[in-house]
């Protein structure tokens, strides 16, 4: 560490490099890798026939040419949708990815995959088990962290496989949340970033071995501030920006 900046803070591409390509698509994930991201964050849901698919909203309306809830589509039906042209004509033909495609993409690299289980308000029965089984199929237990705003999903993950890392997402200004994180056996807290501008949070997490991966940090001033605070990871729509700031400020 030099100049007060840690150089090992992981830069995690939020929904892929989603400032540059349609969120949660393969092109967005590939762009994140090109930009030298250390990790990728994505959002997982389950189709009517039990396939794990990658999309942010419960409905497909905002990011595809279809309409309706993911839970009401079969995998085959959802794969027919165009998940790219809403963002730009050049992305026409991008599909809602299956989770397995993303595992396939990064399995031979050191990229961290943050799988956010979107298990509320739609509850997908068994999504934790299915996700963990797929991770195990690829032998990627060490490369994954599962996060969720539904912390019951996180305790279920730990019940199934205590070796899988979990991160508790939250948006409020919680007091001493590291105590809660330990209570639910979470390895990390994933707070909305501006809750982090409280020195005792950094100290409390550090002293209790809880990782801090704030989201979604796009402004250069906040990226620098969080690097200075020595967080473990920064979740951002602009991984290129964050990598550049980290590497130019913290290098030798
Ligand atoms: O995982 C960080 C962030 O993705 C949580 O919020 O709504 O962007 O999925 P959201
Ligand atoms: Mg997310």
């Amino acid at each position: 560490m030099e100049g007060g900046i840690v150089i090992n803070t992981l830069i995690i591409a939020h929904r892929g490099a989603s400032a540059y390509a349609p969120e949660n698509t393969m092109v967005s994930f590939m762009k994140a890798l090109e930009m030298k991201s250390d990790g990728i964050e994505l959002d997982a849901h389950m189709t009517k026939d039990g396939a794990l698919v990658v999309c942010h909203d419960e409905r497909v309306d905002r990011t595809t040419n279809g309409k309706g809830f993911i839970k009401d589509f079969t995998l085959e039906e959802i794969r027919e949708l165009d998940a790219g042209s809403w963002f730009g004509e050049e992305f026409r033909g991008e599909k809602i990815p299956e989770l397995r495609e993303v595992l396939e993409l990064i399995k031979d690299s050191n990229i961290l995959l943050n799988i956010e289980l979107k298990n509320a308000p739609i509850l997908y029965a068994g999504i934790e088990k299915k996700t963990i089984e797929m991770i195990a199929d690829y032998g990627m237990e060490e490369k994954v962290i599962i996060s969720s705003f539904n912390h019951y999903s996180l305790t279920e993950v730990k019940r199934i496989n205590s070796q899988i890392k979990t991160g508790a997402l939250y948006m409020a200004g919680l007091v001493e949340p590291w105590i809660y994180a330990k209570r639910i056996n979470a390895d990390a807290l994933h707070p909305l970033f501006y809750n982090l501008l409280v020195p005792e949070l950094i100290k409390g997490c550090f002293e209790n071995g809880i990782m801090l991966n704030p989201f979604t940090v796009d402004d250069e001033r906040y990226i620098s501030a969080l690097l200075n605070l020595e967080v473990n990871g920064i979740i951002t729509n602009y991984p290129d920006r964050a990598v550049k700031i980290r590497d130019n400020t913290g290098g030798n």
Side-chain angles (χ1 to χ4, degrees), residues 10-243:
L10 300 181
I11 306 305
I12 302 166
H14 182 240
R15 311 179 195 174
S18 59
Y20 303 100
E23 64 183 56
N24 281 325
T25 61
M26 294 309 288
V27 68
S28 173
F29 301 136
M30 288 187 277
K31 212 166 257 301
L33 302 186
E34 273 167 34
M35 291 177 168
K36 309 274 182 241
S37 307
D38 307 291
I40 285 171
E41 187 265 3
L42 57 75
D43 306 290
H45 296 254
M46 203 156 76
T47 61
K48 182 160 80 176
D49 50 349
L52 296 169
V53 292
V54 179
C55 185
H56 180 268
D57 303 355
E58 287 74 32
R59 297 181 64 96
V60 298
D61 305 36
R62 180 178 62 86
T63 56
T64 76
N65 58 345
K67 277 198 191 328
F69 287 96
I70 294 171
K71 70 174 178 58
D72 296 327
F73 282 80
T74 63
L75 177 62
E76 197 183 341
E77 287 164 352
I78 218 164
R79 293 285 290 173
E80 283 167 12
L81 303 179
D82 172 11
S85 57
W86 70 276
F87 190 86
E89 195 47 45
E90 68 273 32
F91 298 107
R92 180 175 292 278
E94 277 300 312
K95 295 183 187 309
I96 289 185
E98 284 191 73
L99 179 61
R100 69 172 70 254
E101 291 177 82
V102 188
L103 296 177
E104 199 64 55
L105 176 71
I106 62 170
K107 68 176 195 275
D108 297 323
S109 68
N110 287 324
I111 300 294
L112 173 77
L113 183 61
N114 176 193
I115 301 173
E116 181 186 347
L117 294 180
K118 287 293 191 198
N119 204 13
I122 306 284
L123 293 172
Y124 300 105
I127 193 172
E128 300 87 359
K129 185 160 178 281
K130 258 186 201 287
T131 304
I132 290 168
E133 283 172 357
M134 190 174 287
I135 293 165
D137 281 349
Y138 283 86
M140 287 176 61
E141 291 91 338
E142 295 290 320
K143 294 182 180 175
V144 161
I145 181 165
I146 295 182
S147 62
S148 189
F149 284 105
N150 183 344
H151 300 174
Y152 289 96
S153 269
L154 302 182
T155 56
E156 178 65 1
V157 167
K158 285 292 186 186
R159 193 190 64 74
I160 297 168
N161 183 344
S162 62
Q163 299 306 305
I164 303 258
K165 288 190 267 312
T166 59
L169 280 159
Y170 69 97
M171 314 242 302
L174 301 182
V175 175
E176 299 186 349
W178 57 89
I179 295 172
Y180 173 72
K182 290 180 88 164
R183 166 68 186 82
I184 63 166
N185 288 324
D187 302 274
L189 289 167
H190 288 200
L192 185 61
F193 78 91
Y194 54 73
N195 295 326
L196 270 189
L197 304 173
V198 182
E200 56 264 36
L201 179 56
I202 311 292
K203 186 166 178 282
C205 285
F206 181 75
E207 288 176 357
N208 286 278
I210 302 293
M211 293 180 288
L212 266 175
N213 300 318
F215 72 96
T216 301
V217 197
D218 291 343
D219 186 299
E220 293 174 357
R221 290 163 300 175
Y222 290 115
I223 292 169
S224 295
L226 290 169
L227 286 166
N228 268 313
L229 288 170
E230 304 190 354
V231 297
N232 299 87
I234 291 179
I235 300 173
T236 176
N237 297 317
Y238 292 86
D240 55 339
R241 200 180 271 181
V243 166

